[in-house]
Amino acid sequence: MGIREEVYYEGGPHIGDLILNILIGLTVIGLPLTVGAIARALWLRYRITDRRISVTGGFRGQDRTDIIYSEIAEVKKVPRGIGLWGDMVVVLKDGSRLELRAIPKFREIYDYITEKAKIKPATTTR
């Protein structure tokens, strides 16, 4: 029997990211952004629990990355979509980084991750 985990957030990227990028895709220049947003909407899934952060992505959602909170050194956040969603970068103690793109409720998730990782929240200029 496995260890029980309490799920804080489970789901995909914010729907506003997809809608905004589809509107941008009406121009020829915005087509690569639209393709990226569609791929994220189809295959990217986040699961944030009281024990770890899991990101499932890649082509057809076949790649999975798990991070435990004790390995996190720093978390950075950037609001997007007039603050309705945002991006985060989780920096690990070994220097590697994990990007979490278009996360809904990113401020609450950022606070949750910094609390669980027991790191001091970074001050932002925004």
Side-chain angles (χ1 to χ4, degrees):
M1 191 160 160
I3 297 172
R4 300 258 184 222
E5 293 183 78
E6 181 181 326
V7 176
Y8 181 75
Y9 173 76
E10 186 169 17
H14 193 278
I15 190 70
D17 179 57
L18 177 64
I19 294 169
L20 180 65
N21 282 301
I22 287 174
L23 291 175
I24 291 171
L26 295 175
T27 65
V28 174
I29 296 171
L31 284 178
L33 298 174
T34 303
V35 171
I38 292 170
R40 278 193 302 274
L42 290 174
W43 298 317
L44 185 63
R45 296 291 173 259
Y46 302 113
R47 182 176 177 156
I48 299 171
T49 69
D50 59 346
R51 296 186 166 275
R52 64 183 156 176
I53 300 170
S54 297
V55 179
T56 305
F59 183 67
R60 294 184 3 191
Q62 295 177 346
D63 297 332
R64 180 174 165 172
T65 303
D66 291 322
I67 295 174
I68 57 174
Y69 292 111
S70 62
E71 292 297 317
I72 297 175
E74 183 180 10
V75 181
K76 299 176 185 178
K77 65 178 176 174
V78 176
R80 289 189 12 200
I82 61 171
L84 297 175
W85 65 90
D87 296 343
M88 272 192 264
V89 176
V90 178
V91 181
L92 303 180
K93 291 179 180 175
D94 67 359
S96 58
R97 299 168 185 258
L98 177 67
E99 286 188 18
L100 308 172
R101 301 197 44 134
I103 298 184
K105 302 187 305 179
F106 75 101
R107 289 181 181 91
E108 292 88 359
I109 292 173
Y110 171 81
D111 293 338
Y112 184 80
I113 291 172
T114 55
E115 175 188 324
K116 289 292 182 182
K118 296 179 176 70
I119 57 174
K120 190 174 185 179
T123 58
T124 58
T125 58
R126 294 184 185 209

